[in-house]
Amino acid sequence: VELVESGGGSVQAGGSLRLSCTSTKFTFSSRCMGWFRQAPGEDRERVATIYSGVDDSASYADSVKGRFTISQDNAKNMVYLQMTALKSGDTAKYYCASRPCFDCDADFCGRADYYDWGPGTQVTVSS
């Protein structure tokens, strides 16, 4: 496993959670980093992506805009997904993903295929 997620759990609607992702095998600079989610019986959804921790390189799914924030700390080799105003529809298994990329941007990372994946962490939101 090259990526490891943490921070999932159960929360009531309206609550918040912060997911974290790290790797002991590679650094996150010069990479697209992303959070994806998949609910039972549903297709995997791209939630948020960021390039190399650059502030203006984040992109979000419409369903989470204004509620979720992706961030990256290259010094700690961590990527975070801060989730607020959670809804029952956010219930899913959340995956951290990565791909190498040089001189990329929000548009590319928001569309690219990702090659490295964590095992996922479950988020359950009860109404």
Side-chain angles (χ1 to χ4, degrees):
V1 176
E2 297 184 332
L3 294 167
V4 178
E5 306 95 339
S6 61
S10 297
V11 64
Q12 289 192 327
S16 300
L17 282 174
R18 188 177 80 156
L19 305 182
S20 301
C21 172
T22 191
S23 174
T24 59
K25 297 204 172 182
F26 49 75
T27 60
F28 291 169
S29 58
S30 297
R31 281 182 167 265
C32 293
M33 299 299 301
W35 287 98
F36 295 73
R37 67 186 181 186
Q38 188 166 22
E42 302 288 333
D43 292 334
R44 187 169 60 197
E45 177 186 20
R46 188 185 308 249
V47 175
T49 60
I50 192 167
Y51 173 63
S52 201
V54 176
D55 286 342
D56 63 353
S57 71
S59 65
Y60 299 91
D62 288 343
S63 58
V64 306
K65 277 181 183 175
R67 300 188 298 122
F68 290 12
T69 302
I70 187 171
S71 62
Q72 183 169 330
D73 185 334
N74 287 335
K76 296 181 179 179
N77 211 41
M78 297 287 291
V79 173
Y80 305 99
L81 185 68
Q82 179 68 50
M83 305 184 293
T84 63
L86 283 160
K87 307 174 182 179
S88 57
D90 295 318
T91 295
K93 196 164 189 179
Y94 284 70
Y95 298 89
C96 178
S98 174
R99 65 162 290 156
C101 189
F102 294 95
D103 198 24
C104 296
D105 58 19
D107 182 60
F108 179 84
C109 292
R111 296 181 291 108
D113 292 330
Y114 283 67
Y115 305 142
D116 306 298
W117 294 84
T121 185
Q122 179 67 35
V123 171
T124 302
V125 183
S126 57
S127 56

